[in-house]
């Protein structure tokens, strides 16, 4: 029998700084959306996810390392922003950096790179960007926050003061210029769909199809599971790749093909709900996995394999914390 309380403890506060900080989880009103609208929304999310996976650019997922994600989460927590802002900022950062790297590489003469063999393409790019990077992260949070009208806005004075408390001395003009740079870098498109949205919509449909499911309680736990997976996605997806490939050292081709799995938000959404169900109400685990498969078209085996990897990592975390 698994130690469910230890698993819950391991998920309770995955982000830490000098003071222990917790998410302030917003409460959704489940069951109020007409099912036909909800079904259309789910189909739309599914189409967006498929289109995204079909056109994945190079370096997708590269800029979602734990340190960057944790930095974004801490900013949103310190400023008491909605959790959705953090997940949206992660997607904006990814989109901006992929475009920035592609544009920068296009401008670097091949001869200059060949002459200076000590530096790779990546080193050249990051050397040029490293001083601006903390401000870029903050600008992604600012842009994401402006999309959520129910959240309180962070004005320029508050932003400058906040950055100063973290050791960054910038002017309001510099702050604005950074925000505009990111805005242009994402080609003026802020309408990305973040992973939390997938969890919320799938959970809403699950609650409609299975009224006995305590979706409100699951939702609270899903926040913790999603945050845990997002922070530890490098190690979690590495374990999943080794599991599905049955190879200790997957080849470069296998890793490149696996990017579609690491970027699949629909798969991530069902996995988060499956893990939360496993922890909260294990007796309904198989029933929920079957229903999630029915809702999304993702096979039960794929959902179960992914969920198992996440659960094993949570257990390792809880064991090491004892």
């Amino acid at each position: 029998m698994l130690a469910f309380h230890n698993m819950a403890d391991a998920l309770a506060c995955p982000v830490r700084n000098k003071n222990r900080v917790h998410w302030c989880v917003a409460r959704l009103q489940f069951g109020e959306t007409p099912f036909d609208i909800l079904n259309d929304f789910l189909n739309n999310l599914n189409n967006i996810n498929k289109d995204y996976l079909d056109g994945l650019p190079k370096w997708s997922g590269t800029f979602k390392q734990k340190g960057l994600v944790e930095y974004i989460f801490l900013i949103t927590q310190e400023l008491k922003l909605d959790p959705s802002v953090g997940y949206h900022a992660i997607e904006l950062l990814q989109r901006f950096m992929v475009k920035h790297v592609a544009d920068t590489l296009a401008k670097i003469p091949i001869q200059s790179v060949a002459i200076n063999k000590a530096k790779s393409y990546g080193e050249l790019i990051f050397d040029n960007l490293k001083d601006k990077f903390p401000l870029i992260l903050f600008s992604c949070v600012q842009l994401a926050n402006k999309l959520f009208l129910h959240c309180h806005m962070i004005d320029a004075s508050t932003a400058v003061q906040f950055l100063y408390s973290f050791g960054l001395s910038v002017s309001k003009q510099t702050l604005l210029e950074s925000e505009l740079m990111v805005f242009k870098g994402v080609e003026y498109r802020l309408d990305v769909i973040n992973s939390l949205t997938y969890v919320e919509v799938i959970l809403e449909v699950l609650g409609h199809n299975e009224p006995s499911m305590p979706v409100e309680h699951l939702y609270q736990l899903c926040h913790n599971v999603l945050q845990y997976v997002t922070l530890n996605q490098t190690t979690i997806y590495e374990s999943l790749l080794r599991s599905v490939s049955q190879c200790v050292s997957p080849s470069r081709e296998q890793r490149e093909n696996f990017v579609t799995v690491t970027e699949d938000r629909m798969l991530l959404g069902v996995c988060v709900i499956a893990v939360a169900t496993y922890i909260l109400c294990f007796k309904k685990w198989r029933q929920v996995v079957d229903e999630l498969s029915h809702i999304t078209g993702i096979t039960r085996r794929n959902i179960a394999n992914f969920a198992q990897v996440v659960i094993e990592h949570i257990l390792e975390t809880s064991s090491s914390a004892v």
Side-chain angles (χ1 to χ4, degrees):
M1 181 64 70
L2 296 177
F4 294 110
H5 291 295
N6 288 341
M7 292 178 70
D9 290 342
L11 290 168
C13 187
V15 174
R16 295 177 175 85
N17 59 4
K18 293 181 180 179
N19 298 313
R20 194 173 176 92
V21 186
H22 296 265
W23 277 118
C24 179
V25 178
R27 294 185 62 86
L28 294 185
Q29 299 298 319
F30 287 98
E32 294 188 355
T33 305
F35 185 71
D36 54 344
I37 296 177
L38 191 61
N39 189 55
D40 288 342
F41 195 15
L42 180 64
N43 288 333
N44 186 48
L45 286 182
N46 188 45
N47 291 333
I48 291 173
N49 190 54
K50 286 182 178 179
D51 290 343
Y52 174 67
L53 295 177
D54 288 341
L56 278 178
K58 194 174 182 180
W59 306 292
S60 292
T62 304
F63 305 98
K64 295 182 180 179
Q65 297 99 328
K66 184 173 183 176
L68 302 182
V69 171
E70 188 168 22
Y71 193 87
I72 289 175
F73 282 166
L74 286 172
I75 292 174
T76 56
Q77 288 176 337
E78 289 289 341
L79 292 174
K80 297 180 174 58
L81 304 179
D82 189 280
S84 296
V85 173
Y87 292 105
H88 211 84
I90 292 169
E91 298 299 333
L92 291 179
L93 176 65
Q94 172 70 19
R95 179 185 287 184
F96 170 79
M97 287 304 300
V98 166
K99 181 70 164 53
H100 179 80
V101 169
D103 290 347
T104 305
L105 285 177
K107 296 176 183 177
I108 298 177
I110 296 177
Q111 295 84 352
S112 67
V113 178
I115 292 173
N116 188 2
K117 294 182 179 180
K119 288 195 173 185
S120 67
Y121 285 113
E123 288 174 325
L124 286 170
I125 293 169
F126 286 110
D127 281 352
N128 181 53
L129 198 63
K130 62 183 180 181
D131 292 336
K132 300 178 182 178
F133 205 71
L135 193 53
I136 289 173
L137 283 174
F138 185 79
S139 296
C140 289
V141 174
Q142 278 284 74
L143 288 171
N145 189 48
K146 291 177 180 179
L147 292 176
F148 295 85
L149 299 180
H150 63 281
C151 300
H152 66 283
M153 294 294 103
I154 306 301
D155 59 37
S157 297
T158 302
V160 168
Q161 184 178 2
F162 174 79
L163 290 171
Y164 182 77
S165 69
F166 277 83
L168 293 175
S169 182
V170 298
S171 65
K172 294 180 181 179
Q173 181 64 28
T174 302
L175 192 66
L176 178 60
E177 289 173 355
S178 175
E179 201 168 309
L180 286 173
M181 180 181 70
V182 173
F183 195 28
K184 292 177 182 178
V186 296
E187 300 176 314
Y188 306 101
R189 289 186 55 208
L190 303 179
D191 56 337
V192 294
I193 306 296
N194 65 69
S195 53
L196 181 57
T197 300
Y198 280 84
V199 171
E200 291 174 344
V201 174
I202 297 169
L203 194 58
E204 178 80 49
V205 176
L206 175 66
H208 181 276
N209 293 354
E210 296 291 340
S212 63
M213 287 302 301
V215 290
E216 290 83 1
H217 293 97
L218 272 179
Y219 181 58
Q220 303 297 315
L221 187 54
C222 280
H223 270 273
N224 291 337
V225 174
L226 178 59
Q227 189 185 60
Y228 180 88
V229 175
T230 305
L231 282 167
N232 298 282
Q233 58 186 335
T234 300
T235 55
I236 287 174
Y237 280 116
E238 178 67 20
S239 296
L240 182 61
L241 172 58
R242 292 177 180 178
S243 174
V244 298
S245 66
Q246 297 183 340
C247 183
V248 177
S249 300
S251 66
R252 179 177 179 179
E253 182 180 1
Q254 287 174 315
R255 292 185 181 281
E256 290 176 350
N257 293 334
F258 195 71
V259 174
T260 56
V261 175
T262 64
E263 292 295 296
D264 191 334
R265 301 186 189 97
M266 190 69 78
L267 175 62
L268 176 59
V270 296
C271 173
V272 166
I273 296 171
V275 172
T277 303
Y278 192 92
I279 297 172
L280 186 65
C281 38
F282 177 71
K283 291 182 179 180
K284 292 183 177 290
W285 155 259
R286 294 185 182 277
Q287 176 187 352
V288 169
V289 170
D290 287 345
E291 188 57 41
L292 290 173
S293 177
H294 173 72
I295 291 170
T296 63
I298 300 173
T299 66
R300 293 187 293 272
R301 181 178 179 179
N302 286 344
I303 297 172
N305 285 347
F306 194 178
Q308 181 181 354
V309 169
V310 175
I311 291 167
E312 288 173 353
H313 275 268
I314 295 173
L315 286 172
E316 290 175 5
T317 302
S318 63
S319 298
S320 61
V322 175

